[in-house]
Amino acid sequence: MSFAPLRERNFRLLWTSGCVMYFAVWMQTVGVSWLMASLTPSPLLVALVPAASSLAACLFALAGGIMADRFALRRYVLSVQCCMLASAALLWTVSLSPQVHPAALLGLTFLFGCLSALLAPAWHSGHCRAAAPEHLSDAITLATIPYNLARAAAPATAGMVIAGYGSSAVFGCAVAGFGAVIAMIRFLDPLGHIAPASPAARAAGTDDIVGLARASRGCRPQLLRVGLFVASGAGLIALLPALVRERLGGDAPAYGFLVAASGVGAATGAALLGALSRRYGRETVVGCAILVCAATTLVIARAHGREALLVLVWMTGAAWVMVVNAGIGAMQADIPDAARARALGVFLVVFQGSGAFGSVLWGSVAERFGTTAALTASGAAFAVILLARARLRP
């Protein structure tokens, strides 16, 4: 990997602001999930937090992809970021009240998820457009680093802040982060190296990209496989706050470190995916990753030790990202350049919609039968996907 794209001023600004933005997003995510776990003993309400965010992304990701191709990058990103700042400030204000209602928390989570979905395609395609064409592959790789860094560092930081100062302090830090992002984005040079979307991309609409997804030989089975996989595994992330509360005595730093372990695992999996795929083949790697997810989820269902949970969650995060990233890569290979942002929008619709469904499903199972039963069923669902994957191959 080359760091040549970072020599471009606009790319460097987007990359640096991404580090700050994702750190703020992950701190807020951990704060919301832990606050909900503190407000109610219901596993279903705890699981509805990621479900609300995923549902919002499912509803607005495709619209975000279309608008990313049609509007000027700097103006569009600034507008959405300002709305995200307002949403985060409202959440911070609500958290300062003596009594926070779970419905208000879910509503604000859904609102922020809508804005994140509108931003995501523009943000990712903006990195590609800000880099020179000969450095495109390096730009794509570099653009994933801020998210993985934040996912690894921010949750643990948020857990310690919650333990020391409460959830509202985390939300205040997130507000400051979004404000800093807006300040950096304002310095983007509209006349600099940010290539505009092609005329075909600006003219095309929702029907065009859905038609591409239907017509492409590789898209449909990839979308189906990723959707089933995400729905099966959504229970672990959705129920992690309840798991910590039940087995680790409601330790906020422990929750933060578990989420961070998942992020470190994801970064590890992303780093190893290319080399493993070249050596063993993508389908073999995907099959092994699904098997790891099934095994670790079944063990997590009955594990109680903090150290054991950290290792198991790390392994699950690594395997999870291998399956998802392999699906993204296979799908993107079948999509023309002019429709890339909208292709990402379609993928996010499936990914987030499956996540929302899985969160509600496993939260409902946990509500009725307990967290252990829900995670056991989630692990069994992974095993079913592994047995049926021959029918889901492109």
Side-chain angles (χ1 to χ4, degrees):
M1 180 184 68
S2 168
F3 292 92
L6 288 171
R7 291 198 291 265
E8 299 283 350
R9 180 176 180 273
N10 280 332
F11 185 92
R12 192 164 59 250
L13 278 170
L14 283 172
W15 192 90
T16 306
S17 59
C19 291
V20 178
M21 180 186 73
Y22 287 126
F23 200 92
V25 167
W26 273 105
M27 286 195 72
Q28 180 171 293
T29 300
V30 170
V32 170
S33 296
W34 191 252
L35 180 57
M36 181 64 83
S38 303
L39 292 175
T40 173
S42 168
L44 178 57
L45 283 176
V46 172
L48 284 178
V49 172
S53 180
S54 295
L55 178 61
C58 176
L59 294 175
F60 288 92
L62 190 53
I66 293 172
M67 288 189 282
D69 283 335
R70 291 191 174 182
F71 297 110
L73 177 74
R74 180 178 178 274
R75 183 178 300 175
Y76 178 74
V77 169
L78 267 177
S79 299
V80 180
Q81 285 284 358
C82 287
C83 293
M84 291 173 72
L85 174 61
S87 172
L90 182 57
L91 176 60
W92 182 29
T93 303
V94 169
S95 71
L96 292 171
S97 64
Q99 292 184 337
V100 181
H101 198 279
L105 206 56
L106 290 174
L108 290 171
T109 300
F110 179 79
L111 173 61
F112 189 84
C114 294
L115 296 170
S116 297
L118 291 174
L119 177 70
W123 193 262
H124 292 293
S125 64
H127 283 79
C128 298
R129 289 158 56 188
E134 63 270 21
H135 298 140
L136 180 60
S137 61
D138 295 320
I140 293 172
T141 303
L142 285 170
T144 65
I145 292 177
Y147 179 85
N148 289 324
L149 286 176
R151 188 177 175 185
T157 304
M160 290 185 287
V161 172
I162 291 171
Y165 305 99
S167 296
S168 60
V170 169
F171 301 140
C173 292
V175 169
F178 292 126
V181 171
I182 291 172
M184 285 187 278
I185 295 299
R186 287 179 61 86
F187 286 101
L188 280 177
D189 182 5
L191 301 178
H193 193 138
I194 296 185
S198 67
R202 292 194 299 268
T206 307
D207 293 341
D208 300 299
I209 186 60
V210 173
L212 280 171
R214 288 176 176 172
S216 172
R217 179 177 176 271
C219 279
R220 294 178 66 180
Q222 290 295 343
L223 289 172
L224 178 59
R225 182 161 68 181
V226 169
L228 291 173
F229 176 81
V230 171
S232 300
L236 178 59
I237 296 300
L239 295 173
L240 197 56
L243 190 72
V244 172
R245 184 184 60 204
E246 294 172 7
R247 300 183 187 179
L248 301 180
D251 188 348
Y255 172 61
F257 278 106
L258 283 173
V259 178
S262 175
V264 174
T268 305
L272 294 176
L273 177 61
L276 291 175
S277 297
R278 286 190 295 271
R279 183 167 184 176
Y280 301 106
R282 187 182 67 205
E283 287 302 313
T284 301
V285 173
V286 168
C288 291
I290 296 174
L291 178 62
V292 169
C293 285
T296 54
T297 304
L298 288 172
V299 176
I300 288 171
R302 289 166 175 78
H304 287 78
R306 183 177 307 184
E307 293 77 12
L309 285 171
L310 281 170
V311 174
L312 290 165
V313 169
W314 173 79
M315 293 174 63
T316 307
W320 172 281
V321 85
M322 285 186 181
V323 177
V324 173
N325 282 11
I328 294 175
M331 179 178 169
Q332 289 282 56
D334 288 336
I335 296 295
D337 289 343
R340 188 150 292 166
R342 272 157 301 195
L344 179 59
V346 170
F347 185 88
L348 287 174
V349 167
V350 175
F351 181 90
Q352 300 290 0
S354 302
F357 172 77
S359 296
V360 174
L361 172 64
W362 303 124
S364 300
V365 173
E367 184 83 2
R368 184 166 184 179
F369 301 105
T371 305
T372 299
L375 292 176
T376 301
S378 175
F382 278 131
V384 172
I385 293 175
L386 185 63
L387 293 174
R389 66 187 275 266
R391 295 180 175 271
L392 301 176
R393 288 184 180 179

